[in-house]
Amino acid sequence: MRSSALGSLLAFLLLLRLPSCRGDDVAASDSVNPCCYLPCQHWGVCVRYGESSYECDCTRTGYYGENCTVPEFWTRVRHFLKPKPNVVHYILTHFHWLWDIVNNTFLRDVLMRLVLTVRSNLIPSPPTYNSKYGYLNWESYYNLSYYTRLLPPVPEDCPTPLGVKGKAGLPDPELLVERLLKRRTFRPDPQGSNLMFAFFAQHFTHQFFKTFNRMGLGFTKALSHGVDAGHVYGDNLQRQLQLRLLKDGKLKYQLVNGEMYPPTVDEVPIRMNYPPWIPPQDKIAIGHEVFGLLPGLGMYATLWLREHNRVCDVLRAEHPTWDDEQLFQTARLIIIGETIKIVIEEYVQHLSGYMLQLKFDPTLLFNSHFQYGNRIALEFSHLYHWHPLMPDSFVIDGDELSYKQFLYNTSVLTHYGIEKIVASFSRQVAGQINGGHNIPAQVTNVAVRTIKEGRELRVQPYNEYRKRFNLKPYASFREFTDNEEIARELEEFYGDIDAVEFYPGLMLERARPGAIFGESIVEMGAPFSLKGLLGNPICSPEYWKPSTFGGQVGFDMVNSATLKKLVCLNVKTCPYVAFRIPHGEKSHRRDGSKARTDEL
């Protein structure tokens, strides 16, 4: 009886506390939009009535009460049984003996299914908001030109840019980046991520992160909103047809020293984003118009070009009666499948640090309530700005290249060849993403633009997204970061931990011990990623069968795909290739020198 009374009292106090949570710099006023206080907790929806009244819609949140703060019975039970994210992460990254047992028994499938369903259920499907509408409507649902939004924008008529918390004005973005995000000394990733990982992250994600600000803020050109290999084939039919050889299902190519590379824009006159002083014969034609920027992106573009044409040869031998169109379309589905397989079992596996061996097996979800389809969220795009991965310079075959020598220099591909580039990038360590002070000076302008875009689109505060992903909001700057200088600067800039912006919060949060990320990027990014990967049509019961991929041979190519196969089946010799620098070997550092892995 005593504990029940205490629980009721605590719930009552919560109800009293939440509506009055006003920022220190903002005086209470009846004229303030009450939804500016972001009063509705646990995914509740704030609906404004009149000038100063509101109601929280708590439907199917598992909570009730004025602000959706009182847990229902089964919600209490789940919270009691559910371990904290850091406890789960610790278990998943320790106890080798336990995971050796799990990974070799039926328990692997059981846990993988749990990971997929629990993570994916955090992402709404169908989509909810977009950058124009902070309420549900048909336009937000069907207009694929918008990024979706997980949380609605901060109301326009609020006392502060983040609602009611913090100061009346936000810090200058250039100053914020200069003092908190810009690299001072390169800090390597303690997980040993390398440049193969860094360029894969950029190459893979830009097929669905294609912000189209020429159309307006919050718009995207990637209308498929998922893994469609548009970075290989183009994002529209006209571009695709120009890139295709229109024979045997293959893509156009050029031969340099007997090896296949993407053609030049002289041969394939498509739009590519190069500076005007680059001559046409030095511009390569790729599915994604900006991938001439970095030879690391050109390396992956070359590998996927070769893989597509190799797959076409295999399919043609199996199906001599198939025409060009069927060969091309089936090869594209195989490339998409190979991509997802590599992403889940190697890329996500590496960045998670988990000892649970992740598994790409769509059949794990066939008996679950799972919606096939995906919309890319603006928040996911901002979360994936991982520019701290980039080094200060690039070391290839013993040569150190500055950014000036590297950017837009497609001759790097043909001069060194894919084998040497892969071998070098596999041994050069990437930077740690979280913790601040690690974005190279050459790309800090991207961080500035991201902060400005977040403000123009009125993205909710960082702590609100912590709560949306069932994470405890930070109570102070010193809980948020173990760097006293960063904590002090943040307090000066924002005044209140609840006023810290989404993107700066993601980048500045303290990293987990020995990890590339902090808690938030993993716990927020994984649901977006897994929902997008498993929500792909090829993972549905209607598609996931051998006939979709041209028979068992094509199906086997998807199910056996690895990063090593992608490289080694498409080059003359097989170099060391992985997303992690080799254990026990010396690693090329950003300054061209070498360091033992135990220094990392």
Side-chain angles (χ1 to χ4, degrees):
M1 290 289 292
R2 185 173 298 173
S3 61
S4 175
L6 180 59
S8 299
L9 176 61
L10 288 172
F12 177 70
L13 290 173
L14 278 171
L15 289 172
L16 290 177
R17 181 176 62 85
L18 278 163
S20 61
C21 55
R22 301 171 185 266
D24 294 337
D25 297 357
V26 182
S29 169
D30 290 339
S31 63
V32 172
N33 178 349
C35 291
C36 289
Y37 293 98
L38 308 175
C40 304
Q41 306 299 297
H42 304 111
W43 306 14
V45 178
C46 184
V47 182
R48 185 181 185 182
Y49 291 93
E51 289 293 321
S52 57
S53 298
Y54 74 97
E55 180 180 82
C56 289
D57 184 350
C58 307
T59 305
R60 287 183 291 279
T61 64
Y63 292 81
Y64 62 95
E66 185 178 358
N67 294 296
C68 310
T69 55
V70 184
E72 297 172 357
F73 173 76
W74 288 112
T75 303
R76 292 177 187 271
V77 172
R78 285 195 301 273
H79 283 186
F80 178 77
L81 296 175
K82 183 180 178 181
K84 294 181 179 179
N86 279 331
V87 173
V88 174
H89 182 81
Y90 184 85
I91 294 171
L92 285 166
T93 55
H94 292 76
F95 312 111
H96 281 279
W97 61 270
L98 171 64
W99 295 110
D100 284 344
I101 296 171
V102 169
N103 290 330
N104 290 285
T105 64
F106 72 96
L107 292 172
R108 181 190 179 196
D109 284 358
V110 172
L111 289 178
M112 190 66 206
R113 185 183 298 109
L114 183 64
V115 167
L116 293 174
T117 53
V118 169
R119 296 290 199 187
S120 297
N121 286 342
L122 289 169
I123 305 302
S125 186
T128 49
Y129 311 103
N130 66 20
S131 296
K132 183 175 182 180
Y133 298 101
Y135 52 89
L136 298 189
N137 62 86
W138 188 253
E139 177 78 8
S140 294
Y141 166 73
Y142 90 93
N143 191 339
L144 300 179
S145 297
Y146 282 102
Y147 284 120
T148 187
R149 297 276 288 265
L150 205 62
L151 291 179
V154 175
E156 292 185 274
D157 55 349
C158 294
T160 74
L162 278 304
V164 297
K165 295 292 185 73
K167 300 184 177 181
L170 290 169
D172 176 77
E174 285 87 358
L175 182 63
L176 192 156
V177 170
E178 178 71 27
R179 286 167 62 171
L180 297 179
L181 294 173
K182 183 179 177 181
R183 177 173 294 162
R184 295 175 177 176
T185 302
F186 176 79
R187 188 172 68 251
D189 168 33
Q191 286 182 222
S193 302
N194 57 26
L195 293 194
M196 284 298 289
F197 174 85
F199 285 121
F200 189 93
Q202 191 172 9
H203 184 267
F204 164 69
T205 59
H206 277 67
Q207 65 189 300
F208 45 80
F209 294 150
K210 298 196 72 175
T211 300
F212 195 29
N213 284 338
R214 280 178 292 171
M215 187 173 177
L217 285 172
F219 284 88
T220 175
K221 286 181 65 180
L223 301 186
S224 72
H225 284 264
V227 181
D228 62 356
H231 55 333
V232 178
Y233 305 108
D235 58 10
N236 60 75
L237 183 58
Q238 181 183 7
R239 190 177 183 92
Q240 177 201 118
L241 290 173
Q242 289 176 303
L243 288 166
R244 285 172 60 178
L245 190 62
L246 299 177
K247 180 183 179 183
D248 299 333
K250 294 185 176 182
L251 296 170
K252 291 177 181 175
Y253 60 91
Q254 61 169 320
L255 291 176
V256 179
N257 299 323
E259 294 190 305
M260 186 184 298
Y261 291 93
T264 67
V265 295
D266 265 348
E267 302 165 293
V268 181
I270 59 173
R271 182 179 182 274
M272 292 294 295
N273 290 351
Y274 281 94
W277 60 84
I278 305 291
Q281 65 270 20
D282 291 338
K283 301 177 183 178
I284 54 176
I286 304 174
H288 197 299
E289 62 270 21
V290 303
F291 276 10
L293 171 67
L294 295 164
L297 301 177
M299 172 196 68
Y300 275 113
T302 302
L303 286 169
W304 285 117
L305 165 68
R306 294 178 184 181
E307 177 67 2
H308 174 92
N309 287 353
R310 185 189 73 84
V311 168
C312 286
D313 285 335
V314 174
L315 290 176
R316 187 164 177 266
E318 287 285 308
H319 306 283
T321 61
W322 281 13
D323 61 9
D324 168 74
E325 187 68 14
Q326 189 165 5
L327 289 168
F328 170 81
Q329 297 295 350
T330 306
R332 180 172 185 167
L333 291 178
I334 291 172
I335 296 301
I336 291 170
E338 289 181 340
T339 299
I340 297 174
K341 171 83 169 178
I342 293 169
V343 169
I344 290 178
E345 295 195 0
E346 297 183 72
Y347 174 80
V348 175
Q349 181 78 62
H350 169 71
L351 64 84
S352 71
Y354 293 166
M355 291 184 183
L356 169 65
Q357 192 174 336
L358 302 183
K359 184 178 184 181
F360 174 46
D361 182 0
T363 65
L364 294 174
L365 294 175
F366 284 180
N367 294 320
S368 305
H369 293 291
F370 187 81
Q371 294 187 351
Y372 293 93
N374 188 58
R375 286 284 294 277
I376 298 298
L378 175 76
E379 296 97 336
F380 190 32
S381 176
H382 281 199
L383 177 148
Y384 235 112
H385 281 62
W386 294 352
H387 295 89
L389 287 170
M390 288 291 102
D392 289 342
S393 61
F394 304 87
V395 180
I396 305 177
D397 197 32
D399 297 332
E400 183 177 7
L401 304 181
S402 66
Y403 275 81
K404 184 177 181 180
Q405 295 168 306
F406 197 69
L407 297 181
Y408 296 112
N409 187 358
T410 56
S411 69
V412 168
L413 297 174
T414 53
H415 175 75
Y416 291 100
I418 298 300
E419 291 103 316
K420 287 182 179 178
I421 295 174
V422 168
S424 299
F425 286 172
S426 294
R427 286 176 163 81
Q428 184 171 0
V429 71
Q432 186 179 37
I433 290 173
N434 271 98
H437 299 310
N438 210 21
I439 297 181
Q442 295 87 345
V443 291
T444 52
N445 61 312
V446 181
V448 170
R449 288 201 306 268
T450 305
I451 293 170
K452 289 180 177 179
E453 183 180 74
R455 294 176 182 181
E456 291 181 57
L457 294 173
R458 307 193 314 281
V459 175
Q460 286 198 25
Y462 174 69
N463 258 345
E464 292 303 309
Y465 283 96
R466 294 270 303 173
K467 291 188 281 186
R468 174 59 178 76
F469 284 93
N470 300 324
L471 301 171
K472 181 184 175 183
Y474 287 111
S476 69
F477 292 105
R478 281 151 189 84
E479 181 186 6
F480 167 76
T481 176
D482 52 5
N483 184 309
E484 180 60 31
E485 179 190 353
I486 290 178
R488 189 171 58 252
E489 296 269 15
L490 282 173
E491 191 160 16
E492 177 188 333
F493 281 140
Y494 291 105
D496 191 317
I497 188 65
D498 286 331
V500 173
E501 298 169 272
F502 179 63
Y503 172 71
L506 288 169
M507 293 293 105
L508 293 169
E509 181 184 47
R510 72 174 74 199
R512 280 170 162 160
I516 189 171
F517 296 123
E519 179 185 55
S520 296
I521 285 183
V522 173
E523 300 300 324
M524 296 181 192
F528 283 123
S529 180
L530 293 175
K531 175 62 174 71
L533 293 167
L534 273 297
N536 193 284
I538 71 161
C539 299
S540 68
E542 290 77 15
Y543 278 67
W544 189 251
K545 47 194 171 185
S547 57
T548 301
F549 306 96
Q552 195 61 45
V553 170
F555 204 34
D556 288 344
M557 283 193 281
V558 171
N559 283 308
S560 65
T562 64
L563 179 67
K564 185 174 182 178
K565 280 188 174 181
L566 173 64
V567 173
C568 294
L569 291 175
N570 294 294
V571 296
K572 292 178 179 177
T573 60
C574 188
Y576 169 74
V577 53
F579 288 136
R580 183 193 303 271
I581 58 174
H583 290 290
E585 286 193 23
K586 294 180 178 180
S587 166
H588 293 298
R589 303 184 75 161
R590 45 87 185 175
D591 59 359
S593 64
K594 295 182 177 181
R596 289 194 57 81
T597 55
D598 55 14
E599 292 182 21
L600 306 175

